[in-house]
Amino acid sequence: MSLTVSPSLPALESRLPQRRELATEIPGPASRELQERRAAVVAAGAVSSMPVYAADADGGVIRDVDGNSFIDLGSGIAVTSVGASAPAVAAAVQDQVGHFTHTCFMVTPYEGYIQVAEELARLTPGDHAKRTVLFNSGAEAVENAVKIARLATGRQAVVAFDHAYHGRTNLTMGLTAKTMPYKSNFGPFAPEVYRMPMSYPYREENPELTGPEAARRAITQIEKQIGADSTAAILIEPIQGEGGFIVPAEGFLPTLAAWARENGVVFIADEVQSGFCRTGAWFASEHEGVVPDLITMAKGLAGGMPLSAVTGRAELLDAVHAGGLGGTYGGNPVACAAALATLETMRELDLAGRAQAIEDIVLARLRALAEELGGAQGPIGDIRGRGAMLALELVKPGTTEPDPETTKAVAAACLAQGVLILTCGTYGNVIRLLPPLVIDERLLNEGLEVLEDALRASR
Ligand code: PLZ
């Protein structure tokens, strides 16, 4: 009798060899040369977290201009969930550019836009009538969701939360919490944005505070500082991204959403980072059965092509006057073709299921490592996240004091060993893992080993 062990992450076909390989020092000579040319012409304010320049990418690897192959645990900030050159996406893009690259949906419309809207109506939570409008970036989607909520309610105030990240345009900078590097000296910011306390279980003063209680804390402030009848929208990331992969306590999101519904406040879920199978479901809102009135999406939607969307209740989107929503490139036909192929790939390969399998693999390893490093007295203060959106919060051992220096050093050590790892967090002390959902199991484990060794060595 043979024992069949089914691997939790079945290996997928790939174009590039799925392996880590260091051919030069990091960064190598070709990357260093590009770095010099860059310094002469690219704005100093636009920085890159990695000093290596990409030449090719596929599945779970990024190859640089010096021939080094890195294990990608960042997906270009949660974008390339299907891989950075998924065959179906590449084929769809090639086919579309051979026909037309642009007509402007506001001038001469095309079917791809409608097909994306049909998909999003099916995939987003809730079975109510929905409408969609497409844009280019996450920030643009958030801006438009706020425009729609304000117009539809006739109210102005928008509630955002501590640790929130919503973008870098003027309105979305104002909605974003962290000043450096996002907001500092870029003001003034748009008015009528109110910041409320988030549910952040690891850093809650009262560790017993439940999700519904944390929601009541915010609701009380909304009622006292703004008034429900002046509040157009509550805007929230169901799992906060840049702010530190903060998963609110259970019941926080449903309580806020229920209060919004009762008070005619539009509940907007910003799923720009958490959407499209990343957390083990199509959308993170689903984990607690939350049905947002509006949902903002980008990143994972189009396999690396710039495309964003606002999908939501038909009566909200259709409240906007003709011509009130648009933009030259919004819903670009090449990006729409890429999105359709991306969504099809996500279904075909069951990427939500793979994200759950990634969670099982990663959490088991990280929990064992945290124990090894001293448990509650060690440097890993918290392990959290869902699916393939997972994080470690690093602290000075035995305290909850953030340790951004070690966090940076660990990410740098991983890079030097051929593993691309991103950091985040209000305090800069969170290591986040966002592997492509198509990553090979062996490669994922190898990447985690490198991270574990870096954490061990950092003590
Ligand atoms: N909403 C929840 O995560 C983008 C930004 C990185 P854009 N996050 C990565 C950086 O430093 O600029 C993001 C997000 C959430 C909105 C956005 C904004 O999306 O496509 O970057 O505009």
Side-chain angles (χ1 to χ4, degrees):
M1 205 179 95
S2 73
L3 191 69
T4 32
V5 182
S6 58
S8 43
L9 282 180
L12 301 168
E13 297 269 311
S14 59
R15 179 174 53 81
L16 292 183
Q18 296 296 295
R19 62 165 181 265
R20 175 171 66 113
E21 200 175 350
L22 296 182
T24 67
E25 71 277 16
I26 305 297
S31 276
R32 290 202 304 270
E33 197 195 319
L34 285 170
Q35 191 68 24
E36 259 173 52
R37 281 171 53 197
R38 169 194 183 136
V41 288
V42 177
V47 301
S48 308
S49 26
M50 306 299 164
V52 292
Y53 285 74
D56 205 347
D58 181 39
V61 301
I62 294 181
R63 185 178 282 176
D64 78 0
V65 288
D66 290 290
N68 300 297
S69 265
F70 296 87
I71 300 177
D72 178 17
L73 298 184
S75 302
I77 323 190
V79 171
T80 52
S81 298
V82 294
S85 54
V89 176
V93 165
Q94 275 160 11
D95 181 63
Q96 181 58 45
V97 294
H99 290 285
F100 60 97
T101 56
H102 176 85
T103 56
C104 187
F105 191 72
M106 299 188 305
V107 180
T108 313
Y110 38 86
E111 186 180 1
Y113 191 118
I114 300 167
Q115 289 174 302
V116 171
E118 287 169 345
E119 284 272 25
L120 295 180
R122 271 195 295 271
L123 293 172
T124 51
D127 47 19
H128 49 278
K130 295 172 193 163
R131 301 287 185 268
T132 286
V133 57
L134 300 178
F135 303 99
N136 306 288
S137 68
E140 216 185 339
V142 173
E143 288 250 5
N144 278 279
V146 170
K147 280 167 67 171
I148 293 162
R150 283 180 168 157
L151 183 146
T153 58
R155 307 171 181 177
Q156 294 186 349
V158 179
V159 168
F161 288 83
D162 287 333
H163 313 289
Y165 184 91
H166 298 292
R168 292 174 180 269
T169 59
N170 184 267
L171 176 60
T172 60
M173 258 195 301
L175 292 163
T176 290
K178 193 175 178 178
T179 180
M180 271 307 266
Y182 307 124
K183 303 166 73 166
S184 183
N185 291 305
F186 289 136
F189 305 114
E192 291 304 313
V193 171
Y194 297 84
R195 193 161 310 284
M196 294 297 154
M198 180 62 187
S199 162
Y200 188 166
Y202 177 63
R203 294 199 173 276
E204 210 62 77
E205 226 167 88
N206 166 12
E208 311 281 280
L209 194 78
T210 66
E213 286 165 355
R216 290 295 337 162
R217 176 176 63 188
I219 290 164
T220 304
Q221 288 197 28
I222 296 169
E223 287 172 340
K224 296 294 168 214
Q225 296 180 23
I226 314 168
D229 56 6
S230 297
T231 306
I234 290 180
L235 169 67
I236 191 162
E237 301 153 83
I239 297 180
Q240 289 183 320
E242 304 308 303
F245 279 31
I246 300 165
V247 186
E250 194 184 335
F252 181 74
L253 296 170
T255 305
L256 285 178
W259 179 86
R261 179 111 351 112
E262 284 154 23
N263 289 279
V265 173
V266 178
F267 186 86
I268 308 172
D270 182 352
E271 294 244 20
V272 164
Q273 189 152 168
S274 57
F276 298 105
C277 300
R278 178 50 56 187
T279 66
W282 279 98
F283 296 97
S285 298
E286 292 170 48
H287 296 291
E288 289 198 76
V290 169
V291 178
D293 299 311
L294 297 177
I295 174 161
T296 56
M297 297 159 273
K299 291 191 187 278
L301 166 60
M305 295 295 287
L307 184 68
S308 68
V310 179
T311 296
R313 294 189 185 279
E315 62 275 21
L316 296 177
L317 278 116
D318 284 349
V320 179
H321 50 270
L325 300 171
T328 305
Y329 294 111
N332 168 274
V334 183
C336 285
L340 295 170
T342 298
L343 299 175
E344 194 47 47
T345 301
M346 287 178 168
R347 266 191 293 264
E348 208 173 285
L349 303 179
D350 182 23
L351 291 195
R354 282 182 81 94
Q356 287 167 12
I358 290 171
E359 173 180 329
D360 292 343
I361 294 167
V362 176
L363 286 186
R365 293 190 69 125
L366 294 183
R367 286 188 180 134
L369 178 75
E371 276 316 303
E372 180 194 319
L373 298 183
Q377 298 308 309
I380 301 178
D382 195 24
I383 299 172
R384 57 177 179 255
R386 290 191 203 273
M389 183 171 184
L390 300 169
L392 291 174
E393 177 155 359
L394 299 186
V395 292
K396 305 268 161 70
T399 74
T400 58
E401 194 190 325
D403 190 348
E405 295 81 18
T406 300
T407 307
K408 237 177 142 174
V410 166
C414 290
L415 170 74
Q417 293 301 316
V419 179
L420 302 182
I421 279 185
L422 301 173
T423 62
C424 64
T426 295
Y427 314 107
N429 66 327
V430 177
I431 291 185
R432 57 170 151 177
L433 301 174
L434 289 166
L437 303 179
V438 294
I439 194 169
D440 191 86
E441 183 161 3
R442 190 191 40 74
L443 204 65
L444 174 64
N445 277 309
E446 189 178 326
L448 293 169
E449 269 159 40
V450 169
L451 169 64
E452 289 159 2
D453 284 343
L455 282 158
R456 284 189 190 102
S458 75
R459 287 205 295 166

